[in-house]
Amino acid sequence: MKERTSVKLTFSLLQLQNLIKRDPPSYHEEFQQQYEHFKAQLKLFKFDPQEFHENFADLVNFLAQVSSCYKEDLKDFHVELMNILREYATVLQPNMRHCFVKALILMRNRGVLSPTDLTTLFFELLRCQDKLLRDIVQVHIVSDLKKINAVHKNQKVNTVLQNFMFKMLADENKTAARVSLDIMIDLYRRNIWRDEKTVNAISTACFSKDTKLLVKAIHFFLNIDEKDEEDDEKKSDSEDDTPTLREVVQSHKVNKKTRKRKKILEKAKQLLKKSKKRKKNQETVNFAAIHLLHDPLGLAEKLFGRLQKTNEGFNVKLLIMNFISRLIGIHQLLVLNFYPFLRRFIKPRQTDVTKILMCAAQAVHEYVPPDSVEEVVKEILYNFVTERNSSEVITVGINSIREICARCPLAIDQDLLHDLAQYEKYKDKNVQMAAKSLIRLFREINPKMLHRRFRSRPTEATKQIDTKKLEYGASSAKSYIPGTEALSLDPSAEINDVKAGRTRKQGKVWKEKREKPSCK
């Protein structure tokens, strides 16, 4: 009997819901009866919130559906639902919790609720041990903020939600902090919250005690997840079987012309126009998040201090090293203790040694003292570039030294460079190519460092190499644009030269035509 009554009730509610949406004033009394019934059911529900009440859930869904029709009557309805979620969020049965959340989302989509109240409540619900609920909340927050900022940036709503979200990053509940970080990263990548405030808030997650939070934040700054997503998109595009415009046009030419094929052709043209518009509307200037940091030096020093003390796995250490080296290289920082720390890991048998060498190359720039970098170069030289190692190891060593020298030419002295240049005639071809690339680099940067037989013939480019610039800390500012001396000062003379060249060429062609015998 209970099942029959519940089925009848749901059927009658659905029918009433349909009728109310068509003509709200005519069914106001029926609505009042159901609302009074909801209030009575609410009192009973509060006595036992741990169980699923099907009739009560149907009433909640019904009232949420018709909330836009009777805004004055249901002005306190969303408040009651929000109070239930605040009081009994952790105790509620999962299906009932989902029912309340979906009802509030529905009312928000209908414009009954303000975004700030609902979003703050949803962030509090992230503390619940309910994965499905967290997914629902995350999707809603991102989509809602996307709608709010669709036409123009709503700074009032954004500031309120940003301040609340930044507090959630330091929440004691790890899952809530992780989901809030995911939401912020998602909003940044969707160009909704793409500002310095968001980036610097995400950077605070790098100091979290939670390792997963730290790893997510560093992945964001290193664009690791973004690259994976781009690769997946490319794969999906390549695997897509939808015909291109060229294929459709070709089939339209060859096959029989019908109305259906004509519609397909027009549709393909419209899609092509839309894709071109999207490409035009895309932002041309797109700074990486790492460029928007306010205090990169402080961040690098704090992370390096944590790196020295941490007991995390080697993968996490390597990730932190990569991030620190990227910060040093991009912002040209001076963290001199980082280079001796890297030297401990520069060994051929070290796991992921190529990534460590990449970190060493990234962390070098022209303002780093040559003494600090020279020790790293010597470490690579003594551990990698020796005849007892295999040719692959020697190649890796020479290539890494070349990358370091490209960023800091003073990192190597003349004797070491001469020793490396001797590998030009090594038995392995890869080693030869690596040595030649190093020689080629110094021919462009500083040919005087090379031995006489490794230098090339002097050219205009080598003559213009400024010796002052090769000293540490020196900068040579030029008062002219290189290459402009070849241009003439009088533009009319240049135009006359071009015209004269054309007339000469035309006369030559005419002469050849006259001299050419006519074929009979």
Side-chain angles (χ1 to χ4, degrees), residues 31 99 157 174 182 214 222 250 280 283 314 336 451:
F31 160 73
C99 176
V157 175
K174 292 180 181 179
D182 286 337
L214 166 72
L222 296 176
Q250 190 66 26
K280 284 180 183 178
E283 292 182 5
F314 182 72
L336 300 179
H451 196 265

Side-chain angles (χ1 to χ4, degrees), residues 416-448:
L416 291 175
L417 181 61
H418 181 64
D419 292 341
L420 289 171
Q422 297 292 332
Y423 282 92
E424 187 190 15
K425 294 182 179 179
Y426 195 74
K427 57 187 177 181
D428 189 72
K429 194 173 182 180
N430 293 326
V431 178
Q432 288 179 16
M433 295 299 291
K436 284 176 183 177
S437 65
L438 183 66
I439 293 165
R440 205 178 301 118
L441 173 71
F442 273 91
R443 279 175 184 170
E444 295 172 2
I445 296 172
N446 189 6
K448 292 179 181 178

Side-chain angles (χ1 to χ4, degrees), residues 259-285:
R259 288 182 183 178
K260 189 178 179 181
R261 289 200 179 105
K262 195 176 181 181
K263 284 180 182 178
I264 291 166
L265 180 65
E266 288 173 1
K267 197 175 182 181
K269 285 179 180 178
Q270 286 175 1
L271 287 169
L272 186 69
K273 283 180 183 178
K274 282 182 182 178
S275 64
K276 284 181 179 178
K277 281 182 182 178
R278 280 175 194 166
K279 285 178 183 177
K280 284 180 183 178
N281 293 332
Q282 280 177 355
E283 292 182 5
T284 52
V285 180

